[in-house]
Amino acid sequence: MPSHIYTEGLPEAPTPVPAWGALPLGLYLLVRTREESQTYAPARPTQQQIDTILRPLRPDSLRRYAAGYEAWTGAEGMWIRTNYDAENEEAHQILWNKYVDISQVIGPDSLVLEDEGLFANTDIACILERFPERVTNYSALEDVEWREKRLADFLQMREEAEGETVGTREEELSLSSDDLCETYWMYHAACVVTHAFIEDVEAQGGGGVLHVFLDDCGNVVRQMRVGSNEVDNFDGAWSEGSWKDGWVYPGELGPAYLPGGVRGPPYR
């Protein structure tokens, strides 16, 4: 089944496919190719460039969602299937029924990435290479300013409350992932722009679907394996913002948020 919008069984509204070369990712690839070959890249790609550069990256079935679609706000969650072994097809159907049909971890207008040719045995980094718009389309300057203000306000309050006992840079660099989750969970939550449930071989084997939260650069903020009962009606919690309530508890931080990472401590 190609990538599609989850509609709870209703017909999906038609979504136009952008012209070749109209999307930023396509333009970037054309410019990079021009720089490498030292040739001129026309404003409209040639048929050869379409066939050899743009089309192999992603077909129309995926490109149609890159510019957004009529009901898309940019914040809806995703369901991504990465394992397509024939012997696991029944397990796939069971997971879909438990998580989507019953627990409603995603809702109407969420994007379902299910394409063996594009996503088999890939990780979230490879998926975002094909579909960076899922995080870049939702980035806005005011969101960045708000996120950084949340961190600055927290650091100021912490310094005022703890005074000379506040941790040093060296101590912050030695904090564990659990300590960072408990201390900076509000900042971490503020960095999230979208989330995805990944149905991989471990999930199909009973290990729980991987729930990944992403920031506006595609970095993993936090991820964890979850059972369907742990994320019951998550789509509703996501829409209301109440999903953040559980972030005071430890979780597995992405590398960017660990000590020394691009968004990790020390913060002063």
Side-chain angles (χ1 to χ4, degrees), residues 12-64:
E12 180 181 338
T15 303
V17 180
W20 290 110
L23 296 171
L25 179 59
L27 291 174
Y28 166 75
L29 290 175
L30 292 174
V31 170
R32 191 177 68 176
T33 302
R34 180 194 65 186
E35 293 173 348
E36 292 175 352
S37 62
Q38 297 183 342
T39 59
Y40 173 70
R44 295 184 61 181
T46 64
Q47 189 61 47
Q48 181 182 14
Q49 289 173 324
I50 292 173
D51 293 338
T52 60
I53 300 173
L54 300 181
R55 197 187 304 277
L57 177 68
R58 51 186 183 182
D60 289 349
S61 60
L62 185 58
R63 288 198 314 117
R64 69 173 65 250

Side-chain angles (χ1 to χ4, degrees), residues 160-192:
E160 291 173 352
E162 300 181 20
E164 295 182 358
T165 63
V166 69
T168 64
R169 288 174 59 89
E170 290 73 20
E171 289 172 334
E172 283 207 326
L173 283 171
S174 66
L175 289 174
S176 68
S177 178
D178 286 356
D179 291 334
L180 291 172
C181 286
E182 294 177 358
T183 303
Y184 294 108
W185 70 271
M186 287 187 292
Y187 171 62
H188 296 158
C191 290
V192 172

Side-chain angles (χ1 to χ4, degrees), residues 143-243:
D143 296 325
V144 175
E145 293 173 344
W146 178 79
R147 178 191 73 208
E148 296 307 314
K149 187 176 186 303
R150 293 279 288 181
L151 177 60
D153 289 346
F154 170 77
L155 293 175
Q156 182 178 349
M157 287 189 298
R158 186 183 178 198
E159 190 166 332
E160 291 173 352
E162 300 181 20
E164 295 182 358
T165 63
V166 69
T168 64
R169 288 174 59 89
E170 290 73 20
E171 289 172 334
E172 283 207 326
L173 283 171
S174 66
L175 289 174
S176 68
S177 178
D178 286 356
D179 291 334
L180 291 172
C181 286
E182 294 177 358
T183 303
Y184 294 108
W185 70 271
M186 287 187 292
Y187 171 62
H188 296 158
C191 290
V192 172
V193 297
T194 194
H195 70 102
F197 290 93
I198 300 181
E199 178 194 342
D200 54 11
V201 65
E202 185 172 343
Q204 292 174 354
V209 168
L210 183 63
H211 196 187
V212 180
F213 295 85
L214 301 167
D215 67 16
D216 58 349
C217 291
N219 297 308
V220 173
V221 182
R222 186 185 289 199
Q223 63 182 15
M224 65 285 290
R225 294 276 171 186
V226 293
S228 58
N229 61 316
E230 298 176 274
V231 283
D232 188 54
N233 193 30
F234 190 85
D235 184 65
W238 176 259
S239 299
E240 297 168 359
S242 58
W243 60 273

